[in-house]
């Protein structure tokens, strides 16, 4: 017997970011990405988590099949992203991320998780594994939520 098909999917991709090397301008550009993505994702009922390390991004986006398709098409055309590649696209039973758009940048606050994941070499080679991006995003989300006193997700 075949499993029941769902229209809920997640897509994991990575890209090279075309952002400024100036820290203040780069921060402003990441803020612009966040504001635009939150607005569009809320409208499309999409949840997502983006990881930024140096000039690379890995992101998981979750939602209904057509909204994910449309959202990814916009990302692939966005001049701030280059060499956009899908790592995984699959049906999921339920969402794992809680925010319409959340971004995590490697910093002193996130260093432990980023170091453990060690994604940078695979980003540089263009060969990151979907599972590694997914695991880091989940770890970063769990850490952020525990700092807010939230110890369990009901998604």
């Amino acid at each position: 017997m075949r499993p029941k098909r769902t229209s809920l999917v997640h897509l994991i991709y990575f890209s090279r970011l075309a952002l400024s090397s100036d820290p203040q301008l780069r921060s402003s550009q990441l803020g612009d990405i966040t504001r635009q993505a939150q607005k569009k994702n809320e409208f499309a009922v999409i949840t997502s988590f983006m990881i930024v390390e140096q000039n690379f991004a890995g992101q998981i986006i979750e939602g209904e099949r057509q909204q994910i398709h449309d959202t990814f098409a916009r990302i692939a055309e966005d001049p701030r992203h280059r060499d956009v590649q899908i790592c995984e696209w699959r049906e999921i039973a339920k969402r794992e991320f809680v925010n319409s758009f959340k971004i995590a940048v490697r910093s002193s606050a996130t260093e432990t998780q980023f170091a453990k994941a060690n994604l940078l070499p695979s980003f540089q080679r263009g060969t990151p594994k979907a599972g590694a991006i997914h695991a880091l995003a989940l770890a970063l989300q769990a850490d952020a939520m525990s700092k807010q006193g939230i110890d369990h997700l009901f998604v």
Side-chain angles (χ1 to χ4, degrees):
M1 189 167 160
R2 293 180 67 176
K4 184 180 175 186
R5 287 187 53 101
T6 174
S7 63
L8 191 61
V9 298
H10 86 191
L11 181 142
I12 301 175
Y13 77 90
F14 77 98
S15 68
R16 295 179 187 275
L17 293 173
L19 301 177
S20 176
S21 60
D22 174 77
Q24 284 186 315
L25 183 53
R26 182 181 176 87
S27 179
S28 174
Q29 290 170 322
L30 289 171
D32 290 343
I33 289 171
T34 299
R35 282 185 295 282
Q36 291 169 5
Q38 282 175 335
K39 183 178 179 181
K40 289 180 180 186
N41 287 1
E42 285 172 7
F43 182 76
V45 193
I46 288 173
T47 52
S48 68
F49 199 100
M50 178 182 271
I51 295 163
V52 175
E53 185 162 18
Q54 291 188 8
N55 285 327
F56 299 95
Q59 185 174 10
I60 298 104
I61 54 177
E62 304 172 318
E64 297 297 320
R65 189 178 311 277
Q66 188 60 51
Q67 279 73 22
I68 296 303
H69 180 275
D70 295 346
T71 298
F72 183 72
R74 275 195 316 276
I75 291 166
E77 294 296 318
D78 190 324
R80 297 171 295 196
H81 292 276
R82 294 177 304 150
D83 305 324
V84 181
Q85 295 182 39
I86 295 174
C87 300
E88 181 175 85
W89 172 293
R90 68 177 171 89
E91 292 180 352
I92 56 174
K94 64 178 184 167
R95 295 174 190 261
E96 295 180 285
F97 296 94
V98 296
N99 296 301
S100 61
F101 183 82
K102 182 74 174 174
I103 191 167
V105 178
R106 189 170 192 155
S107 67
S108 58
T110 60
E111 179 61 33
T112 302
Q113 292 94 341
F114 273 85
K116 183 178 178 184
N118 195 29
L119 275 173
L120 186 58
S122 62
F123 276 148
Q124 292 169 329
R125 289 189 307 269
T127 60
K129 301 284 187 233
I133 294 169
H134 186 253
L136 178 56
L138 285 174
L140 291 164
Q141 176 177 260
D143 186 58
M145 293 183 76
S146 71
K147 288 178 180 170
Q148 297 174 3
I150 303 168
D151 64 354
H152 189 74
L153 270 184
F154 295 98
V155 191

